[in-house]
Amino acid sequence: MSKFLMKKFFYKFLLLTIILFSITACKDKSELQNRIYLNTGWQYSNLGEPHEFINLPNQDLSRLSTLLDNKRGYIYLKNTFSIPVNFINKDPYLYLGRVKISAKVFINGHPLGSVGSFPPHQFTEGETSSYFKIPIEYLDFSSTNTISITVWCDDYGALQDDPFISSSNDVIHKIEFDNLINSKIYMIFSVVLLLVFLIYIFIFFLRKSEVENFSFGQICLHTACYLVTFYIGEYSIIYKHEYSFLLFEKIFNGAAPLLTCYFVINFARDFLKYKESRRSKGIRVLISLIAVSLPFFGRSISETKLLLYFSFLTMVVQFIFPLAIVIKGLVNKNERAIKLILCFVPIYIALISQLFSTYVFKNPFNPLILSIGWLFAIFFFLSLLIVNFVKMAGMFEYMNKNLEELVSERTEALEKEKNRALKEIDLAGFVQKSFYKVDTSELKDWDIDIAFKPMSGVSGDLYITFISENKLKGIGIFDISGHGIASGLVTMLVKNIIENEFQKGINLPLNEVMDKINERIIIEKGNIENYLTGMLIRFNKDDIELVNAGHPKAIVYHAESGEIKNVEEEGVNQFGAIGIADFPIEFETVHFNMSKGDELVLYTDGITECTSPDNKYFGADGILAVFKGNIGHSVKDQVTALPAALRKFSGSENFNDDITYIILKKLS
């Protein structure tokens, strides 16, 4: 569809161009025999009358400034011609064409008029062609006549078209056609581009995710500003008194095309959906600002044009960036990259033709050809964006018509995925429970019961019992950061490490065992971000050791005194975490004693952080309240009481975190 629109636009434009040129060709042919051409026989002087005049090669009419020192000053031209008697009834006119920068015209010493403005407020009329009516009384029909032209040059200096004398109809027709092709049509394009700019900026603010709309709008804006240089002569009121020609050159021939180059690069990036780094953006913005500001330091037209040359070189270097991402897009078979390359074809053709014309045929470089090529490229960009918009609109229309069906299909697919995921989570939870399962029924020294409930099938809580010869040698409780399958898998990884290091370190201080556990977990889990808090307890005959790494403190109940308190020791650290590389941590051991009938309570923070409907926490006080209220019951009943209390407190069967609650009662 995009190719169709682009071809359609191209053929229409080509047809219009052929028709216009056909019309003018026919007209020129019919009037050819009546014209008095002044394209040969010119002479020039840098000083004017009465100084010597030198023969001027025809091709030098378009580069008069090269005949002056520093390319600045007046050039005096003169030519002679004879005029047939039949022109007495033809109301003769002089066609002068386009002039840079300004000129005064005389016939036989009589002034005909001027084009542009002379110093001190010099200004050009751009690409607007000029003509003058020649009063009959100024002409000598019996002898030769002299035409004199005084041209002001300031780096620019040219009569860009071949002058001639003809009838008013012929000259006016030629002028109207020239101004349409060289001037007015660019004014039309400029207005169109400004409208396109406003439309696409408005679209961008509605859909900021499509950044290419902003870049394209800026291309249109700055191209419209550049086109002012072609039709400035149509409205002399704009330039005659407000600002200098030098400032005009800096803004419209300098800043406008340079900014256009910058936004062309941005458009290529945005259209190809390439994510440019902040550093690259910053460097390009800085280079572009330097390039745009550099011409403003010029003190003359010549200096400004030289600085502009360097500015454009810096912008050309930046085109390495879009070239690289276009090549990357082609390698990745990105259809947008191919479309973007095709959009630049008109500017490639225009540039190659101008280089060929300049260096092979020695013709002056014509910016009009490049401008036409660039306008084609812009409208190709526009067609691309329109096609994308039409495709998107078509997609939305299709979705609106089929929304109910699409939602139904998507819902069904999501439901299937949900059921599959739930089955996998249930399976993972079953495997995890089997992995945790311990038999404490044969223990002779401790009575243990555990409440364990994952938040979502798979738990990030971990408990481990160390049993040897029907005796409890130790117990561990750990909480892995995060929830779900990821943290559940980490529990399986660290469980083996903890069991292995506990057995190997049976004769080492418990804090050193925890150090080794921490080191191994850091190495073996690699870049996995999850870390652990936890507690490791070792039961000896007369002494119980406890190392706590940032876990909620254990609670001990002494049956003889009825005292309930946290297990802690003055000056001993119970803070920190396990499994964080380069984290400064020093594990320390708490020593305490327990007698027959005493109980030890271990739990995870999923219990204390359980919330009620009015956003209150269950907290450590809630645990103590439940424990105190059930001390006289069996360990099993004591443990069962906690989940029931949590359900009553939260008003829900499901909790917002994994919970683990363990009670150990010393039997001997």
Side-chain angles (χ1 to χ4, degrees), residues 306-441:
L306 180 63
L307 292 171
L308 264 175
Y309 174 79
F310 291 109
S311 293
F312 278 109
L313 277 181
T314 62
M315 298 307 293
V316 168
V317 170
Q318 284 196 58
F319 275 89
I320 296 172
F321 169 70
L323 181 63
I325 62 176
V326 166
I327 292 172
K328 186 177 180 181
L330 292 174
V331 171
N332 295 331
K333 297 181 179 179
N334 185 344
E335 186 183 351
R336 287 190 165 214
I338 298 171
K339 292 178 179 177
L340 192 66
I341 291 173
L342 291 175
C343 285
F344 280 102
V345 167
I347 197 71
Y348 303 150
I349 295 172
L351 183 59
I352 292 169
S353 67
Q354 280 301 287
L355 291 174
F356 190 78
S357 175
T358 302
Y359 291 104
V360 176
F361 295 106
K362 307 301 180 183
N363 293 326
F365 194 85
N366 189 352
L368 279 171
I369 303 298
L370 280 181
S371 300
I372 292 169
W374 176 237
L375 287 172
F376 265 103
I378 286 181
F379 284 105
F380 281 3
F381 292 152
L382 179 60
S383 69
L384 269 184
L385 294 177
I386 290 172
V387 167
N388 286 344
F389 178 79
V390 170
K391 283 182 178 179
M392 187 183 300
M395 182 182 69
F396 286 148
E397 184 179 356
Y398 172 79
M399 290 181 68
N400 284 334
K401 289 181 179 178
N402 302 276
L403 184 59
E404 187 175 343
E405 183 180 347
L406 289 171
V407 169
S408 178
E409 289 176 0
R410 188 60 179 160
T411 302
E412 185 179 348
L414 289 172
E415 191 65 29
K416 286 180 180 178
E417 286 298 312
K418 176 186 173 184
N419 292 335
R420 185 181 64 81
L422 289 174
K423 286 179 181 178
E424 290 181 357
I425 290 173
D426 289 342
L427 179 60
F430 175 78
V431 172
Q432 187 183 51
K433 287 178 182 177
S434 301
F435 193 63
Y436 284 6
K437 192 171 183 181
V438 292
D439 183 8
T440 60
S441 60

Side-chain angles (χ1 to χ4, degrees), residues 8 15 43 99 106 108 128 134 191 197 208 227 250 304 385 412 435 440-441 456 497 502-503 544 556 570 596 609:
K8 190 175 179 182
L15 181 62
Q43 294 180 309
V99 177
F106 302 85
N108 295 328
T128 304
I134 305 175
V191 172
F197 159 72
K208 290 188 178 180
L227 293 181
K250 291 175 181 179
T304 300
L385 294 177
E412 185 179 348
F435 193 63
T440 60
S441 60
S456 57
I497 296 172
F502 186 88
Q503 298 297 343
I544 299 175
V556 64
E570 188 176 350
K596 183 178 179 179
E609 293 176 3

Side-chain angles (χ1 to χ4, degrees), residues 131-371:
Y131 70 101
F132 303 94
K133 181 180 179 181
I134 305 175
I136 296 296
E137 60 268 24
Y138 288 0
L139 297 171
D140 187 344
F141 290 90
S142 62
S143 182
T144 58
N145 296 270
T146 301
I147 178 172
S148 303
I149 304 175
T150 303
V151 180
W152 169 253
C153 305
D154 189 352
D155 201 79
Y156 297 105
L159 298 183
Q160 293 180 264
D161 305 296
D162 293 333
F164 66 85
I165 296 172
S166 187
S167 65
S168 59
N169 289 337
D170 182 24
V171 170
I172 291 172
H173 170 80
K174 173 67 172 168
I175 287 291
E176 287 178 349
F177 181 79
D178 282 359
N179 288 345
L180 172 65
I181 297 300
N182 298 329
S183 180
K184 287 185 173 66
I185 195 168
Y186 290 97
M187 180 176 64
I188 295 168
F189 279 132
S190 187
V191 172
V192 170
L193 289 174
L194 285 173
L195 291 174
V196 173
F197 159 72
L198 293 173
I199 291 168
Y200 274 86
I201 290 299
F202 180 71
I203 292 173
F204 168 71
F205 282 113
L206 290 178
R207 291 182 60 83
K208 290 188 178 180
S209 59
E210 296 176 9
V211 191
E212 63 266 30
N213 290 329
F214 177 79
S215 305
F216 179 70
Q218 293 296 327
I219 289 173
C220 293
L221 172 64
H222 297 293
T223 300
C225 291
Y226 168 68
L227 293 181
V228 172
T229 59
F230 294 98
Y231 63 83
I232 185 69
E234 299 283 345
Y235 300 98
S236 59
I237 191 172
I238 297 175
Y239 65 82
K240 284 206 168 173
H241 303 291
E242 296 301 323
Y243 51 89
S244 68
F245 180 53
L246 179 60
L247 181 60
F248 175 83
E249 280 287 292
K250 291 175 181 179
I251 295 173
F252 294 96
N253 252 338
L258 287 167
L259 288 170
T260 301
C261 290
Y262 172 76
F263 285 106
V264 166
I265 296 170
N266 284 5
F267 177 76
R269 175 200 66 197
D270 299 335
F271 184 74
L272 294 176
K273 306 297 182 184
Y274 181 82
K275 291 186 178 180
E276 186 180 6
S277 67
R278 287 187 178 180
R279 181 181 178 185
S280 175
K281 286 180 183 178
I283 291 172
R284 285 202 309 105
V285 167
L286 181 61
I287 291 173
S288 299
L289 285 174
I290 293 171
V292 170
S293 60
L294 196 59
F296 285 89
F297 292 97
R299 293 168 296 180
S300 66
I301 298 291
S302 297
E303 281 187 15
T304 300
K305 288 179 73 173
L306 180 63
L307 292 171
L308 264 175
Y309 174 79
F310 291 109
S311 293
F312 278 109
L313 277 181
T314 62
M315 298 307 293
V316 168
V317 170
Q318 284 196 58
F319 275 89
I320 296 172
F321 169 70
L323 181 63
I325 62 176
V326 166
I327 292 172
K328 186 177 180 181
L330 292 174
V331 171
N332 295 331
K333 297 181 179 179
N334 185 344
E335 186 183 351
R336 287 190 165 214
I338 298 171
K339 292 178 179 177
L340 192 66
I341 291 173
L342 291 175
C343 285
F344 280 102
V345 167
I347 197 71
Y348 303 150
I349 295 172
L351 183 59
I352 292 169
S353 67
Q354 280 301 287
L355 291 174
F356 190 78
S357 175
T358 302
Y359 291 104
V360 176
F361 295 106
K362 307 301 180 183
N363 293 326
F365 194 85
N366 189 352
L368 279 171
I369 303 298
L370 280 181
S371 300

Side-chain angles (χ1 to χ4, degrees), residues 515 518 522 548-550 573 575-578 580 582-587:
D515 280 329
N518 182 42
I522 290 171
N548 189 354
N573 169 48
F575 300 101
I578 303 166
I580 304 177
D582 302 321
F583 182 71
I585 181 66
E586 184 176 347
F587 300 111

